[in-house]
Structures are given as C-alpha cells and as structure tokens.
Amino acid sequence: MRDHLAQGRLCRDGLLQPEAAADLMARVEAEGIETLRMLFADAHGILRGKTVTRRGLEGALKAGLRVPSTLLLKDLSHRTVFPIWSEAGDTPMAGASDVLLVPRVETFCPLPHAPHSAMILCRVLRTDGSAIPFVPETLLQGAIDRLATRGMRAVMGLEVEFQVFEPVEAALDHADATMPPRPPLTRGVNQGWQYLTETRYDAAEPLLDILRRSAEAMGLPVLSVEVEMGPSQFEFTFAADDPLTIADRAVLFRTMVKEVCAREGYLASFMAKPRLENAAANGWHIHQSVTDMDGRNLLIPDEGGVLTDVASGWIGGLLAHARASCIATTPTVNGYKRYAPYQLAPNRIGWGADNRGAMLRALMAPGDGASRVENRVADSAANPYFALAFQILSGLDGIEAGDPAPAPLENPYDDAAEQLPATLGEAIAAFEASPMYREALGEETVSYLARLKRAEWERYLSAISEWEQAEYFTAF
C-alpha cells in the first residue's frame, strides 16, 4: 500500500508522506471506520468539506479532493461576497474554480458520537499545489515560521465559554429557510448567575460528562469543566500547546459540542453575546507565552518582578496593534456588544497584573514556568487560526521594535485609556490602516479579510432594527 500511495500526485509532489498515508489506511481498516469527513476551517473558523467512504479514502490520499473555491469567499450568511464572475484582476478564485484539499493525516480523529466516522483536517491549496496566503491554517503557519526565524516559539492555552439551550421551536418552516436562517426559539438548561456553584455543576454533569468524554476520546486534553457566570453557560479549558495544535483543537471542540448537543436534543452556541434575556457574553481568553527553541519560557520575570525584554516587547506589541487585531479576535458585528465596563470583558487597551478587567492580564512571577499573558479581548466566535496568528505577529513586532510596555493600568476601565473599537466597522478601518499587517500578511490577504468582513458590516447597516421600528414607525 505504501508503494501504491507513493505513486499518487500528493506523494510525488511532496504534499503527503507515503508512510503516513499508508498508516492511516491501515488504521481506518483496523478500527472499522466507514466514512471520513475531510474538513477545513473557512475564514470564519467553520468546518467545511466532503465526506468520503473507506473505499474513497485511497483516492483522496493519492490525489486530494477538489472543492469549489467559493467556500473561502462566503460571509456568515453563506453568500459569496466576491465578484467571481467579473474579469477584475484582484478577484480571488474567479469563475468559482476549484481548490485542493490535502489531508493532514496526523489530525485523524475518530468521532465518539458517530463511531463509524472520523474527521481529518485538510490543508487548502491551489490546484497546482501552491499556497493560498489567506487560508487560515496557512496564515497561522506563516506567523509561527516568522517567529521561529527569531529563535522563538509561542505556546498558547485554550479556554472557551459557550452556552447550551433547549430548543422550544426549531424554525424549520419553509419561510424560515432564509440566508441566514431564522434562529430557533430556546430556553435555558439552568437559571445561572451562580458562578462555580457545586449544585449547578451537579445538575449539568450528565451533559457535561458527555461533552468531556467526547473531547477526550477525540484527543482533546481537557483540564477543567466549569459552570460559568450566566444562565446555561459553561467553560472548558485545555492543556497548552503550540499554536497550530491549539487552533485545531478549538475548531474540533466547537464543532463537536454543537454536533453532540444537537444529537442530545440541545442547541449549543458560541455566539459572543446572544440576544436573549439575561444571557451572558462568551469570551475566549488566549493564554500565551514565548519560549526559546529549547522550551525556556522567556516571560519569567527576574527576582524583582521586572518584565523581561521579551515580555515587555510582547505586551507592547499586543497593545500597539490591539485595534487592528480586532478583525481577528472579534470578527463579528455582535462581538463588540461584549465590550462593556465592569463586565469582566475589556473595553480599553491596557494591561494589568492579574487584573481580570484589563485587556491583557499578566500572570508572571519569578520562578513560575507557566508565566504568561492572558489576552481577554477575543470572543468564542473568533476564527482561532486568525486570532492566534494576529497574537504572534503583534507580539513579535513589539519585540522587534524594542519599545517597552507602557505602565500597567490601575483601573482597566479608566476613561484616559485608549478604547478598543466600538464596532466591526472601526476594526476593519484600523486593520486596513495598519502598515505592520500589510507588510506581514501582504496586500492580497489584507484586501481579502477586509472585503469579507465589510460585507457582513454593510449587511448589518442595511438591516432595519427593532429599535428603528419602535422609534420611528408611529412618530412620523
């Protein structure tokens, strides 16, 4: 089988190692896997792809899979927002041409909720095998490689908040099948506002056990399971690892939670701030440290607690590029509704030592090998590949610039501190105006991300809200 697979296009072109491909074929056969979901994360961090049978796996490992390139060009309503039929030279993937999915065989992941099936994450390339710069996994790998040229690695942690609701009305009438569809009506699974309360955890444990065991069966190393602040809100945390592994885990976990909850009769949501009475906001706190190539943590302060040059530069870079980075950490219209004072979410740019109100919470102490920075600006709807890439590029730029971090904020909601963007529109403008991101990502990627998110922003601006109807309908 190894020699047979080696004759395929992917192995000949060096896109896949024949030994790894043969090992996967043997494992699929041994474990009785019938179907394999070949998936990739789109620009929004949503998994898309094709399912092949065991019989079709050999062909996928030899030649890859082709899917329409428009899957990279859709907004969250699933509309293609690029003029693919025009002859404009700056239109990516004109004519709805194909792209190539190359299985990342090391991500093979059997599904406990569908034991006959497994997921495999894929690289997305042009059909000639060349890279597409704005593909999320490619962009993150580029940031990792850029940091490595300076002799450093990033270590990231994953803790993510989400909510689980019970559907009351599924919104499956034909009139509900709009783009996007009408959301279903739901009710909570607990009353909430009893943060880390034992009895609330015990009541939710049957469902949380299913999710925890499913995550662990998929190779996702769960560290803690928590009842969060709001009604029907929970948090899972995972062991720290390299950024690409963390991003893979994030999209796999988010997808698994939604799929398992649906099978159990629930609806899981990672939306930043649901429009539901008493619903809390969902944050994704990105824990990050920087090591040398031997794994020595470069953020550990000296005995006097003074920041190292690397820590100071990393913090300074994250702050300097905070507004422009929001297109990745807070990529939806809704996410900016989470930025509110005194809600344990930041609304201003600054850092503090173990301060949960600050954008950056510095958790660093002499001799502490886990010294790190926690960026609390991101929400659970972020594309993890983009969010982590932007952390790396921002922090690295701060180190290279050599500018020390500013003084920490005593009051993270101080009116004197610079504000984070108030809207997605502000974030898009800040991103487009960033010379650092234009240099680091290239014009094609900047144009791609800005156009994709502007389509969402403009649809929002054109929608007539309930506020407008109440304000003007009877007044004029």
Side-chain angles (χ1 to χ4, degrees):
M1 178 55 69
R2 176 202 172 281
D3 293 340
H4 182 63
L5 292 171
Q7 298 172 15
R9 180 262 173 102
L10 297 187
C11 291
R12 291 199 318 269
D13 290 354
L15 300 174
L16 190 61
Q17 295 302 311
E19 295 84 1
D23 288 346
L24 176 63
M25 289 284 291
R27 183 175 178 184
V28 166
E29 184 71 29
E31 297 185 15
I33 301 296
E34 301 172 16
T35 57
L36 297 107
R37 306 178 190 184
M38 301 292 195
L39 304 168
F40 68 95
D42 71 4
H44 313 287
I46 294 172
L47 291 182
R48 298 178 181 266
K50 291 184 175 181
T51 297
V52 300
T53 64
R54 188 191 311 174
R55 185 181 298 109
L57 177 60
E58 180 183 328
L61 293 175
K62 291 179 70 175
L65 295 171
R66 294 168 74 111
V67 297
S69 58
T70 49
L71 295 177
L72 296 171
L73 308 179
K74 295 184 182 297
D75 69 2
L76 279 166
S77 74
H78 299 272
R79 292 179 173 88
T80 299
V81 296
F82 289 79
I84 58 171
W85 306 117
S86 74
E87 297 299 322
D90 62 349
T91 299
M93 287 94 177
S97 55
D98 280 347
V99 291
L100 182 69
L101 301 187
V102 177
R104 296 169 54 203
V105 296
E106 72 278 6
T107 67
F108 174 82
C109 182
L111 298 180
H113 56 284
H116 66 285
S117 190
M119 287 181 177
I120 299 179
L121 299 178
C122 298
R123 298 171 62 196
V124 185
L125 305 173
R126 301 188 194 278
T127 52
D128 64 3
S130 61
I132 304 169
F134 49 77
V135 164
E137 183 256 348
T138 300
L139 193 149
L140 176 55
Q141 187 61 59
I144 293 169
D145 293 343
R146 191 169 177 139
L147 185 62
T149 64
R150 293 295 303 255
M152 292 179 286
R153 292 176 176 154
V155 178
M156 302 290 188
L158 174 61
E159 65 173 66
V160 60
E161 297 169 352
F162 61 97
Q163 285 143 335
V164 179
F165 302 110
E166 181 183 335
V168 175
E169 192 272 307
L172 292 178
D173 288 344
H174 295 298
D176 298 326
T178 51
M179 297 177 69
R182 182 174 73 80
L185 300 178
T186 60
R187 67 178 184 177
V189 296
N190 68 32
Q191 290 187 317
W193 307 115
Q194 297 186 40
Y195 179 50
L196 297 183
T197 300
E198 163 60 17
T199 53
R200 285 292 187 222
Y201 176 83
D202 186 71
E205 187 179 51
L207 174 61
L208 296 176
D209 275 350
I210 293 172
L211 297 179
R212 175 183 54 79
R213 290 169 181 152
S214 295
E216 291 171 341
M218 294 171 66
L220 308 179
V222 178
L223 291 181
S224 68
V225 181
E226 302 174 11
V227 171
E228 257 298 333
M229 188 77 69
S232 304
Q233 188 180 40
F234 308 101
E235 178 184 271
F236 275 56
T237 70
F238 298 84
D241 218 311
D242 68 273
L244 184 57
T245 297
I246 290 297
D248 289 344
R249 287 174 183 168
V251 293
L252 289 171
F253 177 72
R254 195 159 61 187
T255 301
M256 178 275 290
V257 169
K258 293 182 73 69
E259 292 181 355
V260 169
C261 284
R263 287 176 179 245
E264 296 292 323
Y266 298 105
L267 185 150
S269 177
F270 293 76
M271 180 179 176
K273 192 170 178 62
R275 187 178 175 273
L276 299 170
E277 288 184 274
N278 298 313
N282 292 312
W284 174 30
H285 304 153
I286 304 175
H287 292 257
Q288 49 200 287
S289 58
V290 184
T291 75
D292 61 20
M293 301 307 280
D294 295 322
R296 182 174 65 92
N297 190 335
L298 301 177
L299 301 190
I300 301 175
D302 63 22
E303 289 304 319
V306 177
L307 295 179
T308 66
D309 290 343
V310 170
S312 183
W314 193 266
I315 289 172
L318 292 177
L319 297 178
H321 303 292
R323 288 179 59 84
S325 295
C326 280
I327 197 172
T329 59
T330 315
T332 68
V333 169
N334 175 254
Y336 296 85
K337 311 295 174 66
R338 176 175 159 265
Y339 294 169
Y342 312 112
Q343 298 296 312
L344 296 179
N347 70 341
R348 297 188 178 272
I349 298 171
W351 73 282
D354 197 5
N355 189 322
R356 282 185 166 84
M359 176 189 141
L360 300 182
R361 179 185 176 214
L363 297 167
M364 298 180 286
D368 183 2
S371 290
R372 63 198 185 277
V373 173
E374 176 190 7
N375 192 338
R376 298 173 64 84
V377 76
D379 65 58
S380 298
N383 180 326
Y385 300 92
F386 287 159
L388 298 187
F390 278 50
Q391 301 301 288
I392 294 170
L393 294 173
S394 296
L396 177 59
D397 186 71
I399 291 172
E400 292 177 337
D403 294 332
L409 295 176
E410 293 184 8
N411 176 3
Y413 301 111
D414 189 343
D415 288 343
E418 183 181 7
Q419 286 187 303
L420 288 163
T423 66
L424 179 60
E426 285 187 29
I428 295 168
F431 172 66
E432 289 185 298
S434 169
M436 186 277 285
Y437 280 124
R438 286 194 179 275
E439 187 279 327
L441 302 177
E443 292 290 339
E444 182 180 13
T445 298
V446 170
S447 175
Y448 167 81
L449 286 175
R451 184 183 188 111
L452 196 65
K453 299 316 298 182
R454 185 169 286 110
E456 181 180 339
W457 176 241
E458 290 176 350
R459 277 197 304 111
Y460 169 73
L461 291 178
S462 67
I464 299 173
S465 66
E466 290 187 18
W467 183 92
E468 293 170 272
Q469 186 73 2
E471 185 80 1
Y472 305 125
F473 188 58
T474 60
F476 294 103

